Amino acid sequence: MTDDIVASVVRQWQAVHPGLDTGPMELIGRINRCAALLQQAEDAPLRSAGLTRAEFDLLGAVRRTARELTPGELARETFSSGAAVTKRLRALQERGLIDRRGDDRDRRVAHVRLTDEGRTLVDRLLPQQLAYESTVLSGLDEPARAGLAAHLSDLLVQLEGRLGTPRR
């Protein structure tokens, strides 16, 4: 295994606490470090379109479900807070990428749908984003990618079950 920053941190902890099991740190630390680095990169195709990953996730959720979603449903779909979703939806609406319409039975509920411009943007950006992500992962061969995806899926299912997040 190539020496990375987490390996250095683990060695430091083992020097301070020689008997300490640092195995969990080796996994969680690497997952957290990868997530932070991926967030810092800010997804070049999305950035060039003036979108954040979180905004694209909202647009993508509406596009892939092919139906209107409420802000609450979008919060659950994207694992975001209601306040964050509201803020992002406002920005996306100002850009003309989504429309919101009130519910006929409950005026407190809004339904979100993509505008033609929003749908076109998502359909244009998705292949570019996937190509970018493929480049990010290019250092891993297909068996390594498949194995990593399977292991991360197992971990995600376990965490979702433990933290009470409903599975779809």
Side-chain angles (χ1 to χ4, degrees):
M1 183 183 303
T2 306
D3 211 22
D4 59 28
I5 189 70
V6 173
S8 175
V9 169
V10 166
R11 278 193 306 276
Q12 291 169 346
W13 277 118
Q14 288 172 343
V16 173
H17 292 287
L20 196 61
D21 175 14
T22 56
M25 182 184 298
E26 294 178 45
L27 294 173
I28 302 299
R30 286 186 175 97
I31 290 169
N32 286 337
R33 181 86 172 144
C34 286
L37 289 169
L38 287 169
Q39 286 178 337
Q40 279 181 2
E42 282 201 32
D43 305 310
L46 303 182
R47 187 176 57 241
S48 71
L51 289 174
T52 65
R53 169 61 94 158
E55 290 169 335
F56 185 73
D57 286 347
L58 288 175
L59 295 172
V62 177
R63 180 68 172 122
R64 73 175 182 268
T65 59
R67 66 179 179 87
E68 295 179 347
L69 296 173
T70 66
E73 289 170 325
L74 282 166
R76 285 187 294 281
E77 277 289 319
T78 60
F79 206 63
S80 300
S81 72
V85 167
T86 298
K87 179 181 176 183
R88 291 176 192 134
L89 289 177
R90 188 175 308 116
L92 294 170
Q93 188 170 19
E94 287 172 4
R95 289 187 58 188
L97 301 174
I98 63 155
D99 279 330
R100 289 194 255 195
R101 71 167 182 84
D103 189 274
D104 297 334
R105 292 171 287 190
D106 187 345
R107 293 167 33 130
R108 297 170 295 173
V109 176
H111 296 273
V112 177
R113 66 177 176 220
L114 293 177
T115 62
D116 289 341
E117 184 180 346
R119 187 182 303 53
T120 299
L121 181 64
V122 171
D123 289 348
R124 178 176 61 82
L125 284 178
L126 183 59
Q128 294 174 15
Q129 183 62 24
L130 290 172
Y132 171 78
E133 291 174 2
S134 184
T135 300
V136 168
L137 297 171
S138 65
L140 301 174
D141 63 17
E142 190 51 43
R145 287 185 199 189
L148 182 57
H151 292 309
L152 289 173
S153 177
D154 291 344
L155 178 60
L156 184 58
V157 167
Q158 181 185 13
L159 290 172
E160 286 177 339
R162 184 174 296 156
L163 301 176
T165 306
R167 287 207 49 210
R168 290 184 195 137

